[in-house]
Amino acid sequence: MTSHAEHVNGELPHEPEKATLEGRNKVLGFWLFLGGEAVLFGTLFATFLALRNQNNEGPTAGELFSLPITAVATLILLVSSLTSVFAIQAMHRHNVKSLINWLIVTVGLGLAFLGLEIYEFYEYIVHESFDMKTSAFSSAFYTLVGFHGAHVAFGVAWIGILIGQLYRKGLNVVTAPKVYVSAIYWHFIDVVWVFIFSVVYLLGKVA
């Protein structure tokens, strides 16, 4: 078995994130962590579905939601998932410059998504008087969508820190697993958003 030191000082393998036992354990452990996250989001979805008709004479989903805005936000997040794939492909080619550039694009798209979500919340709270206290529906909505938004913000900050590490330390068997699991995380929050768009927004307009 090739040692950690040999990988750090020598040529990187094609998949540097799996080059060491530590790296493989990080990936496995992160999948287990995402399993817990999936259960947590599943609970929030179930709560939202149970409360989505409890309006307390406030605005309904059909009256409130603007599909064009959320469709643009969805497109932005899906494209960011693609750019994170390009980042991992660049990592496997050991092209650090391309890796960093794709990560920067991913962060930019994540920030654009957050900007649209903040704008959406501002419109609801200021112009529609729809806040956390309006109804059980509003509480469930802000909890689910806001919790996802917090995950996006965390992902943006995490990838931003990794970009700094890549500038300082380069690509090696220590930084590669971090980049890889951050990409897994980003795909996870993208998938969660597809469910939010379908269950919260599309179902809300149809219902």
Side-chain angles (χ1 to χ4, degrees):
M1 181 180 294
T2 307
S3 70
H4 177 97
E6 288 174 330
H7 278 310
V8 170
N9 297 322
E11 184 179 349
L12 285 172
H14 173 63
E15 297 182 336
E17 72 277 5
K18 301 176 183 177
T20 65
L21 179 61
E22 180 183 356
R24 292 191 293 272
N25 286 342
K26 283 182 180 178
V27 174
L28 176 60
F30 198 76
W31 278 113
L32 295 175
F33 166 76
L34 288 186
E37 288 284 284
V39 172
L40 182 55
F41 271 107
T43 302
L44 294 177
F45 274 109
T47 302
F48 175 83
L49 289 172
L51 299 176
R52 67 190 182 94
N53 293 320
Q54 307 300 317
N55 300 315
N56 193 29
E57 299 183 356
T60 65
E63 297 168 341
L64 192 68
F65 296 149
S66 173
L67 287 184
I69 293 177
T70 51
V72 170
T74 301
L75 178 61
I76 288 173
L77 211 54
L78 290 177
V79 172
S80 76
S81 189
L82 182 62
T83 59
S84 70
V85 170
F86 292 155
I88 296 302
Q89 290 177 341
M91 182 178 75
H92 289 164
R93 296 193 305 269
H94 307 158
N95 188 335
V96 180
K97 181 179 179 181
S98 180
L99 166 60
I100 291 174
N101 287 340
W102 283 120
L103 290 178
I104 290 173
V105 174
T106 302
V107 167
L109 291 170
L111 290 172
F113 172 85
L114 289 174
L116 283 178
E117 188 163 277
I118 291 170
Y119 170 77
E120 178 192 24
F121 284 6
Y122 173 82
E123 288 290 313
Y124 293 162
I125 294 170
V126 175
H127 298 294
E128 302 292 341
S129 299
F130 182 77
D131 57 30
M132 282 284 291
K133 301 177 183 178
T134 302
S135 62
F137 163 59
S138 69
S139 296
F141 168 78
Y142 282 115
T143 300
L144 173 57
V145 180
F147 192 63
H148 174 268
H151 277 68
V152 175
F154 175 79
V156 166
W158 183 9
I159 296 173
I161 291 171
L162 290 176
I163 291 170
Q165 291 184 353
L166 288 169
Y167 271 118
R168 294 193 307 272
K169 302 177 181 179
L171 180 64
N172 53 51
V173 294
V174 176
T175 54
K178 297 177 182 179
V179 173
Y180 189 77
V181 296
S182 73
I184 295 174
Y185 176 85
W186 197 256
H187 292 315
F188 172 76
I189 58 179
D190 289 350
V191 170
V192 171
W193 178 255
V194 170
F195 279 100
I196 290 176
F197 181 67
S198 302
V199 173
V200 176
Y201 293 96
L202 290 181
L203 185 61
K205 294 296 282 189
V206 171

